Amino acid sequence: MINYYLAEQIGKDRLAEARAIAAQARLMGSTRPTPDPLRVALGLALIRLGRALAGQAGKNATGSRRATA
């Protein structure tokens, strides 16, 4: 036999959970990604420039290194 009170409570709990998930999804969708601050963009540009200027020497320098004691 079905306990109608229990079924109603389960339904209310699931509905509340679905509403909370929907509200969270709306919040996530409404936020726009903010552009990087100027210092971050400038820093990344300088890193790219340094790597480009280093050329092949930079690629060799980033290989595996062995510590010497």
Side-chain angles (χ1 to χ4, degrees):
M1 181 153 205
I2 296 176
N3 184 344
Y4 291 107
Y5 177 77
L6 180 61
E8 183 180 354
Q9 291 304 313
I10 291 172
K12 284 182 182 180
D13 289 344
R14 288 187 180 174
L15 183 58
E17 184 180 352
R19 286 180 176 156
I21 290 171
Q24 188 177 25
R26 279 193 303 273
L27 280 175
M28 295 298 290
S30 67
T31 59
R32 286 184 276 164
T34 58
D36 289 334
L38 178 61
R39 63 183 173 84
V40 174
L42 181 60
L44 292 174
L46 288 173
I47 291 171
R48 282 193 296 270
L49 178 64
R51 286 182 179 165
L53 291 175
Q56 188 64 31
K59 290 180 182 176
N60 289 339
T62 60
S64 62
R65 298 177 186 163
R66 188 178 352 177
T68 56

